[in-house]
Amino acid sequence: MSRPIRTLFISAEVAPFAKTGGLGDVGGSLPKALAELGHDVRVVMPAYKNIEDGYPGVEPMPGQLDVHTGLGTVPCGVFQSTLPGSDVPVYFIAEWHLFKRDEIYGYWDDPYRFAFFSMAALELTKALDWKPDLLHAHDWHTAPAITWLATAGQGDPWFQGIASVFTIHNLAHQGKTNWHIFDYMGIQTHSLNDEAYGEVNFMARGIYHATMVNTVSPSYAREILTPEGGAGLDGLLRHRAYDVHGILNGIDYQSWNPESDSRLPHHYNVTDLSARQKNRRALQEYANLPVKDNVPLVAMVSRLDWQKGLDLMGHVVHLLMNGFSGDAQFIVLGTGEAHYENMFAQLASYHRDKMTAFLSYNAGLAPLIYAGSDIFLMPSLFEPCGLGQLIAMHYGSVPVVRATGGLADTVHDSITGFSFFDFNVESFWHALQRAIYIYNVDKESWGKIQLNGMMADFSWTRSAQGYQQLYEWAIARTLGG
Ligand code: ADP
């Protein structure tokens, strides 16, 4: 192994303490995988309401932390714990005016809340007398830590020589706010080309100032360099093109394992898929569909957001349910934008004997859908990494995906699933038809595709090795120059 790297890992979400999406999974899993490679990783997140109200195993640290802002010193508290199943320390910045609220995001002062959090996380390293080799910050919320470290922070010898890595999980959310935030952070600076007059874009600043930048799949890393995929920041990203990398997320094989998943009625593994058939029947019964063993059971589990390709779904489900590829069943689990919920509710009401729509968030049902369906749909318009297809493959449901971002990197056509490139109904439908054809007439090839998916390695260990390499490059760059 390379020498142990001391990493300050800061994120607005860290599962299981706080999670709204993939960012939380990364926050909860990647530090553990890095620690298993021998690194000294310490995680910092805000103390949201659930922590302030008392979370099992989370203790207050003695004393207070004085955070120096450009407008004066603000004291806060710190709680501490460890990531479950590890001894990786987690620190929680406790400032109840800012973080003890019902939701994690969505407030008028979000930029201030997370700028404060970012600065407190850096300050904490002094209180712990633990100087990191590297700061790893995630998405716009923690970009201010990168910006401050590269600018005002360089006036303090403690913060000199610390490398930084900025990870983009979703370029769609950038954290735009007004210029005064820099007074608060004690930063004097000039505007970037990507910022409107008087405006600060947290994400743009993180990209600009980080030693290294990465996103969560190699294909998404290339796509964000283009005007189509760059969400207005492609110019800045191209400026840093040589420092923008892509590292796939992993999945947590301890919680996502068909052999031991407690949410499944029947367990199975690659050596014997017969119990899968039982899950399939259980799913059909649960969904109130006829229990049939030989019709393709097609499914989707997703946030109902335009990003997920739902504008293609209506037409494709219509063709599928009207028998254009013979008999088929369809189950969707999802919640989100009202017009997509209405679309699925209406289609389900036409096709009661073939289709069921569960329009809610149901973490207990999702595993049964992965374990009981034959084909899993993910026709995303863009997808930074995507978790759904990874879980589907591991549970033996064959994905049909649009070849974009992480979907392009993880689903290989006719080997681990089926993919299409052009974002239109015909291409999607042809890919689904190919899958149904093989399912119906070539069981042997189908079985191979299923097993290839189940055995593919998308572990966090693999991701952590990628991050280790990126950390080493960032440190070499900082120390060398
Ligand atoms: P994103 O982070 O953009 O929502 P991902 O594919 O990376 O997409 O992750 C989606 C995760 O959320 C998967 O684990 C999926 O099973 C889960 N999920 C999405 N919608 C639901 C739902 N309605 N009920 C239960 N789980 C859901």
Side-chain angles (χ1 to χ4, degrees), residues 63-81:
Q64 70 177 33
L65 188 67
D66 286 327
V67 182
H68 305 291
T69 76
L71 305 178
T73 299
V74 181
C76 65
V78 181
F79 291 92
Q80 61 182 345
S81 187

Side-chain angles (χ1 to χ4, degrees), residues 21-22 256 301-303 307-308 333-335 360-363 366 370 378 383 386-389 391:
W256 291 106
V301 178
S302 179
R303 284 189 295 122
Q307 172 203 332
K308 300 296 180 182
L333 169 62
T335 176
S360 62
Y361 189 90
N362 188 338
Y370 289 115
M378 242 171 124
E383 195 64 70
L387 197 52
Q389 84 281 14
I391 302 171

Side-chain angles (χ1 to χ4, degrees), residues 169-180:
H169 298 262
N170 192 342
L171 202 58
H173 303 282
Q174 300 179 359
K176 292 178 188 169
T177 185
N178 70 41
W179 191 251
H180 302 297

Side-chain angles (χ1 to χ4, degrees), residues 21 32 86 125 251 274 336 476:
K32 282 201 273 189
S86 77
T125 61
I251 58 173
S274 53

Side-chain angles (χ1 to χ4, degrees), residues 148-420:
W148 188 87
L149 182 69
T151 55
Q154 292 303 299
D156 180 341
W158 177 266
F159 293 110
Q160 290 167 4
I162 300 176
S164 63
V165 168
F166 182 56
T167 301
I168 299 167
H169 298 262
N170 192 342
L171 202 58
H173 303 282
Q174 300 179 359
K176 292 178 188 169
T177 185
N178 70 41
W179 191 251
H180 302 297
I181 194 88
F182 282 127
D183 294 335
Y184 180 72
M185 290 168 63
I187 294 175
Q188 288 170 345
T189 184
H190 52 86
S191 58
L192 294 178
N193 284 342
D194 302 73
E195 292 167 339
Y197 179 73
E199 175 192 277
V200 177
N201 181 321
F202 276 13
M203 189 159 243
R205 295 270 162 175
I207 293 165
Y208 183 79
H209 286 295
T211 319
M212 289 285 178
V213 178
N214 84 295
T215 179
V216 290
S217 69
S219 289
Y220 191 61
R222 283 193 298 276
E223 289 162 13
I224 61 175
L225 302 180
T226 66
E228 294 77 30
L233 297 184
D234 49 293
L236 178 62
L237 283 158
R238 279 197 301 279
H239 169 72
R240 301 224 49 191
Y242 290 105
D243 298 330
V244 176
H245 298 269
I247 301 173
L248 275 175
N249 286 341
I251 58 173
D252 181 346
Y253 285 134
Q254 273 169 354
S255 37
W256 291 106
N257 182 353
E259 230 172 333
S260 57
D261 191 328
S262 60
R263 299 160 298 187
L264 292 184
H266 307 284
H267 294 127
Y268 58 97
N269 63 29
V270 282
T271 59
D272 180 8
L273 292 189
S274 53
R276 219 179 168 276
Q277 192 78 337
K278 295 184 191 158
N279 286 315
R280 201 175 176 284
R281 290 178 194 147
L283 175 61
Q284 286 168 327
E285 272 169 24
Y286 186 87
N288 219 3
L289 294 175
V291 176
K292 296 186 189 172
D293 283 344
N294 274 320
V295 291
L297 175 47
V298 183
M300 176 177 224
V301 178
S302 179
R303 284 189 295 122
L304 301 183
D305 183 288
W306 64 277
Q307 172 203 332
K308 300 296 180 182
L310 291 157
D311 296 314
L312 305 184
M313 281 298 291
H315 202 151
V316 164
V317 172
H318 189 74
L319 295 172
L320 184 71
M321 295 290 90
N322 281 302
F324 280 64
S325 282
D327 199 7
Q329 295 179 335
F330 180 65
I331 293 175
V332 56
L333 169 62
T335 176
E337 288 172 30
H339 63 283
Y340 297 128
E341 293 195 359
N342 291 341
M343 174 182 88
F344 283 127
Q346 196 168 35
L347 282 162
S349 73
Y350 290 150
H351 303 287
R352 285 176 199 285
D353 55 336
K354 294 181 175 179
M355 166 174 175
T356 302
F358 296 102
L359 302 173
S360 62
Y361 189 90
N362 188 338
L365 175 58
L368 184 62
I369 297 182
Y370 289 115
S373 61
D374 302 304
I375 296 174
F376 188 82
L377 304 182
M378 242 171 124
S380 303
L381 181 59
F382 66 92
E383 195 64 70
C385 177
L387 197 52
Q389 84 281 14
L390 302 183
I391 302 171
M393 282 192 273
H394 200 55
Y395 279 52
S397 185
V398 173
V400 174
V401 305
R402 175 156 180 266
T404 182
L407 295 169
D409 294 331
T410 56
V411 177
H412 301 295
D413 192 73
S414 305
I415 298 171
T416 56
F418 296 86
S419 60
F420 64 99

